[in-house]
Amino acid sequence: MAMGKAFDIGLGQLAGCCVPASEAALGEASGESTYLRDVQVRPQPRMAAPQKAAQTFYLETFGCQMNEHDSEKVAGVLLARGYKQVEAVEGADVILYNTCSIREKAAQKVFSRLGEYRYAKKEGQVIGVLGCVAQQEGEEIFRRAPWVSLVCGSASYRKLPQLIAELEAGNRRVTGLDTDTDETFETEITRRDNPWRAYLTIIEGCDKACSYCVVPFTRGPERSRTSESILAEVRHLAEAGYTEVQLLGQTVNSYADPSTRRMRFSDLLVVVAEVPGIRRVRFTTSHPRDFGKDIVEAIEAVPGVCEHVHLPVQSGSTKVLNAMARTYTRKEYLEKVTLLRAAKREISITTDVIVGFPGETEQDFEETLSLMDAVQYDGAFCFKYSPRPNTPSLKMDDAIPEEEKSRRLGVLLERQREIQRARNERLVGKTFEVLVEGKSRRENQWSGHASSNKVMNFTSKREESLGDYVRVKVTAATPNSLIGEVAAE
Ligand code: SAM
Ligand code: SF4
């Protein structure tokens, strides 16, 4: 297994933040499939045609849901300027890569993509690098790939219209690399990729400074949108027919309403769920330090707030958590889990884990395994530690050899697979409401997600409609998904 790969054992692409949807999930590697991978999704209505002869753009996204949503907003900015989005890179006037640098492998991928244009770039074509690699490497990108014309980090996206205007005016190289901003990236138009679930960023950046993580450098300081602006967008989404919204932030529950309403995150969950037309509200990623009882109470009280919390633990050893600067101990983390397990609704819990952090002993690793046993996660994204530029952990002693990281990762994945198998098998015979999101090529086979975010592949002889909510009875389970049939009315 390649270094830096994300291993998702659990709830598929929709669970964790900064999980590369394009990299192999354990379910695929083991030959199990989720039908969501061969779905036919209802096509999105496209924006009105531009008035002048349209310039075309191609936009490829690497990395997490926040990047995917940033790309939706970037596409909105370009469409509003009269550009037309194309699915193939060949012949596009503007080629943009929205990049991820959370692990080394992800960052390398971008430079290999850029290398393809060394000789192939056409006269007048614009090649741009957006996102975390842009922020991290800055103008160095022009040195390594002189054919690039635009470098813009995510903290500067609000400047994009201006940067694009400069390119249109004939400037050869433009950059947006600020991080000292207190603004968020809000646009009039966002071109959303999914017709039922809409992503919505409520807090950008991160102030937590975990010792292994590049996000505080690449996405800048934490800044929240006002509750009014969030609610206005949710109402607009409901009017446009979206029934599920997913509130996004690197530490979504650290949300701090900058308006005079000073709405708490848990109150925001409730008011968003109450917007007429909205049936489900998800949120990711929660930081354990800021996770309190009020969030559990919101889930208990309001059926529209989904019964799923993604609560990255990173390690089960307090010693390693300290070295990671995670700001909680194993005991404190487990207290948050106790709150979740005591809820009146069953809440599914997923996590992120890093193995092979500098100085992680065999005993520390055993503590991570015992924590997995204690919590019984419904899904986990497991990573080998990847040293990143500028991060404090880069200078730490006792690096763990690659083979040992791989061994620990294998053990962890196997343990988690068994936990998931058992957790999913418990659900056989139960009935859940599922948002119908995909139709398999196989006859009468459909797929979607339950409120818990579990993937449900189900049979229905009725002509279901994509986007409907149906009751599905679980008939069988695998570690990565549930199998069922539409329940009799
Ligand atoms: N903000 C979230 C939190 O606090 O848990 C996570 C967002 S992070 C961008 C997504 C995940 O990537 C992290 O939870 C962590 O497990 C993983 N990650 C971040 N930096 C990493 C590194 N240097 N090596 C390996 N995994 C890393
Ligand atoms: Fe990175 Fe830590 Fe911030 Fe999450 S909380 S984005 S892991 S610095």
Side-chain angles (χ1 to χ4, degrees):
M1 292 174 186
M3 179 178 152
K5 216 167 198 176
F7 296 89
D8 149 20
I9 175 156
L11 304 181
Q13 299 104 308
L14 303 174
C17 204
C18 277
V19 174
S22 56
E23 293 187 7
L26 196 138
E28 285 174 333
S30 65
E32 285 168 20
S33 72
T34 56
Y35 300 158
L36 278 178
R37 295 186 198 283
D38 57 21
V39 297
Q40 295 153 8
V41 171
R42 192 172 69 200
Q44 270 280 82
R46 293 282 173 202
M47 301 288 304
Q51 291 172 9
K52 53 180 182 172
Q55 289 268 93
T56 55
F57 72 97
Y58 169 85
L59 174 56
E60 185 173 343
T61 309
F62 299 84
C64 63
Q65 289 153 322
M66 295 217 41
N67 266 12
E68 282 174 24
H69 185 41
D70 283 344
S71 285
E72 292 178 333
K73 292 193 268 186
V74 168
V77 167
L78 285 158
L79 289 162
R81 287 189 73 82
Y83 285 78
K84 186 170 170 283
Q85 188 163 11
V86 289
E87 300 302 324
V89 70
E90 289 77 25
D93 300 306
V94 177
I95 297 167
L96 298 174
Y97 293 108
N98 187 2
T99 60
C100 169
S101 63
I102 196 83
R103 282 165 291 274
E104 194 185 358
K105 190 82 185 291
Q108 281 167 354
K109 217 188 248 178
V110 176
F111 282 105
S112 90
R113 272 288 197 291
L114 291 176
E116 293 167 16
Y117 297 98
R118 179 186 294 269
Y119 305 111
K121 186 184 162 193
K122 301 207 174 63
E123 188 60 32
Q125 209 169 32
V126 168
I127 297 178
V129 181
L130 310 176
C132 296
V133 173
Q135 191 65 51
Q136 190 175 289
E137 301 289 326
E139 301 201 353
E140 171 69 9
I141 293 177
F142 294 137
R143 202 192 55 76
R144 288 179 69 175
W147 48 93
V148 168
S149 322
L150 164 71
V151 172
C152 181
S154 58
S156 302
Y157 283 158
R158 71 198 187 290
K159 274 195 183 163
L160 257 183
Q162 179 199 325
L163 296 176
I164 291 163
E166 286 175 26
L167 284 172
E168 286 167 346
N171 278 6
R172 216 169 67 80
R173 280 184 179 166
V174 295
T175 51
L177 295 168
D178 306 339
T179 48
D180 57 343
T181 174
D182 53 5
E183 292 174 65
T184 52
F185 178 34
E186 297 183 38
T187 58
E188 291 290 307
I189 301 169
T190 300
R191 192 203 49 72
R192 288 189 157 83
D193 293 327
N194 184 305
W196 309 288
R197 179 187 318 105
Y199 291 140
L200 209 134
T201 307
I202 64 163
I203 172 170
E204 290 179 13
C206 182
D207 286 344
K208 301 288 186 294
C210 301
S211 63
Y212 52 80
C213 185
V214 287
V215 169
F217 306 101
T218 58
R219 287 188 167 268
E222 252 168 41
R223 51 214 188 271
S224 298
R225 280 173 69 178
T226 64
S227 49
E228 285 91 341
S229 132
I230 295 166
L231 279 168
E233 189 170 352
V234 174
R235 282 189 213 104
H236 176 75
L237 289 166
E239 280 159 21
Y242 290 93
T243 57
E244 184 175 310
V245 289
Q246 182 159 8
L247 308 183
L248 296 180
Q250 292 296 343
T251 54
V252 73
N253 58 327
S254 308
Y255 174 76
D257 185 359
S259 75
T260 48
R261 290 168 86 183
R262 298 273 175 250
M263 195 177 272
R264 291 186 307 174
F265 174 67
S266 52
D267 296 330
L268 183 71
L269 287 177
V270 174
V271 292
V272 169
E274 282 168 352
V275 169
I278 295 301
R279 191 136 163 181
R280 285 180 173 178
V281 184
R282 298 192 183 282
F283 55 99
T284 198
T285 294
S286 295
H287 192 285
R289 193 196 71 187
D290 296 334
F291 193 88
K293 197 163 190 293
D294 56 324
I295 301 175
V296 180
E297 284 165 355
I299 300 174
E300 282 181 325
V302 184
V305 180
C306 285
E307 51 202 32
H308 170 218
V309 172
H310 187 66
L311 198 65
V313 65
Q314 314 300 358
S315 170
S317 150
T318 296
K319 184 196 98 191
V320 174
L321 289 171
N322 272 337
M324 289 177 163
R326 285 293 287 179
T327 69
Y328 53 85
T329 61
R330 172 191 174 103
K331 182 165 170 284
E332 284 160 350
Y333 182 90
L334 287 173
E335 282 164 8
K336 311 281 173 171
V337 172
T338 304
L339 285 178
L340 285 158
R341 292 286 181 234
K344 294 188 194 104
R345 279 170 85 188
E346 182 168 328
I347 299 173
S348 96
I349 311 176
T350 54
T351 200
D352 295 347
V353 183
I354 297 176
V355 295
F357 190 76
E360 183 190 69
T361 61
E362 187 58 33
Q363 193 198 325
D364 294 321
F365 176 60
E366 286 295 330
E367 287 187 41
T368 296
L369 292 176
S370 72
L371 181 125
M372 305 298 274
D373 289 340
V375 177
Q376 297 281 298
Y377 290 108
D378 290 279
F381 293 102
C382 305
F383 307 99
K384 289 192 278 184
Y385 167 71
S386 169
R388 305 307 295 129
N390 305 320
T391 57
S393 63
L394 203 57
K395 298 199 183 79
M396 290 180 186
D397 297 332
D398 300 328
I400 308 297
E402 266 321 290
E403 317 78 71
E404 180 56 14
K405 286 188 205 171
S406 299
R407 187 194 68 78
R408 291 182 191 176
L409 182 67
V411 173
L412 185 70
L413 288 171
E414 196 41 47
R415 180 72 62 96
Q416 180 56 22
R417 170 181 286 279
E418 286 319 307
I419 291 171
Q420 276 175 221
R421 184 189 306 284
R423 284 198 66 75
N424 284 349
E425 278 171 1
R426 267 179 339 122
L427 303 178
V428 173
K430 295 198 171 165
T431 300
F432 297 98
E433 185 186 78
V434 173
L435 167 61
V436 185
E437 290 160 272
K439 183 177 183 345
S440 168
R441 290 185 199 99
R442 277 177 270 179
E443 210 186 338
N444 301 330
Q445 294 296 323
W446 303 80
S447 60
H449 287 83
S451 169
S452 62
N453 213 21
K454 296 215 180 241
V455 173
M456 184 84 88
N457 296 310
F458 64 96
T459 314
S460 172
K461 294 213 168 66
R462 294 194 321 227
E463 201 37 48
E464 303 295 350
S465 293
L466 295 174
D468 282 355
Y469 287 82
V470 295
R471 309 269 313 154
V472 176
K473 184 167 180 190
V474 180
T475 54
T478 73
N480 288 326
S481 61
L482 300 173
I483 297 156
E485 57 194 26
V486 162
E489 295 294 321

